[in-house]
Amino acid sequence: MLIRLLEGGQVSLTVGLVTAVFAALIGTTVGLLAGYHGGRLDQLLMRFTDTMIAVPVLPLLIILAALDPKKLPLPEALTGSDSFSLYRIVLIIALFGWTTVARLVRAATLAARQREYVRAAVALGAGNGRIMLTHILPNVVSPIVVATTLSIGNIILLESVLSFLGLGIQLPLPSWGNMLTNAQETIWSAPLLAFWPGLLIFVTVISFNFLGDGLQDALDPRSSGDKK
């Protein structure tokens, strides 16, 4: 039981961390492009972001996760591997989990592009890509870090729900979610089989939420000024 909890924790944390980073990369790219260029590109990207936000995520994830991978145009060596369910969950959740980061980065970019150092870089002839990566991105990294940290807990919950429904991480690869699924049949005779995975999911999600709140307080200059 302890070994499966440890191995399941590795899988669940891997899904949470990798998916959060992948989603943050997508959201950062969209937010930088929309905030820096503005105009029609900004409107197009933000309307697309609003559409993604309006989509009911969990039902859509259930539908996508329920697709038979053997019917997809993918190599058989990939779809037949034990880790394919992990790759699929990471990709599915990341494709719909970047919207918060995109909106935060866009707002921070709109403010940063009006600063003197950005105007000086434009006056010196720096290209748009160099300005976004060198001058704007380092100054908008705080909301990215906070939003990414806070999203890890939500991603672990989504993975646990999908695995509990039998649509997420597939055996023999363990995760806390599919450990809960396997514990359904023995819930009355061996309740600890469901208690420990559920407790670890709860503690992990709460811990990442506390970490995100702490980073927000540490990286927000306004909160530091209030404390002083």
Side-chain angles (χ1 to χ4, degrees), residues 16 29 99 112-113 140 154 165 198 203 221 228:
T29 303
T99 54
R113 73 175 186 176
V140 302
N154 294 329
L165 296 174
V203 171
K228 293 179 181 180

Side-chain angles (χ1 to χ4, degrees), residues 47-175:
R47 297 299 76 76
F48 177 68
T49 303
D50 293 339
T51 303
M52 298 295 290
I53 293 175
V55 172
V57 177
L58 185 56
L60 184 60
L61 292 180
I62 292 175
I63 293 173
L64 293 176
L67 294 176
D68 187 0
K70 295 181 180 179
K71 296 181 179 179
L72 300 176
L74 296 174
E76 186 177 353
L78 176 62
T79 58
S81 65
D82 295 338
S83 300
F84 176 74
S85 59
L86 188 149
Y87 305 145
R88 181 176 62 175
I89 291 300
V90 169
L91 180 62
I92 290 174
I93 299 178
L95 289 178
F96 295 92
W98 52 268
T99 54
T100 300
V101 175
R103 294 179 70 89
L104 290 174
V105 172
R106 173 185 176 271
T109 303
L110 287 173
R113 73 175 186 176
Q114 304 299 328
R115 300 297 178 90
E116 288 76 8
Y117 56 85
V118 175
R119 294 181 178 179
V122 173
L124 292 173
N128 292 332
R130 180 178 178 83
I131 293 174
M132 286 188 287
L133 295 177
T134 306
H135 299 284
I136 294 180
L137 181 59
N139 291 282
V140 302
V141 73
S142 297
I144 298 175
V145 172
V146 174
T148 302
T149 306
L150 289 173
S151 68
I152 294 175
N154 294 329
I155 292 170
I156 292 176
L157 280 179
L158 285 175
E159 181 274 321
S160 300
V161 170
L162 293 175
S163 297
F164 180 77
L165 296 174
L167 302 173
I169 306 301
Q170 302 295 321
L171 295 175
L173 200 64
S175 75

Side-chain angles (χ1 to χ4, degrees), residues 213-228:
D213 291 338
L215 288 173
Q216 186 173 15
D217 293 337
L219 298 175
D220 189 356
R222 290 174 296 181
S223 62
S224 301
D226 294 339
K227 292 178 181 180
K228 293 179 181 180

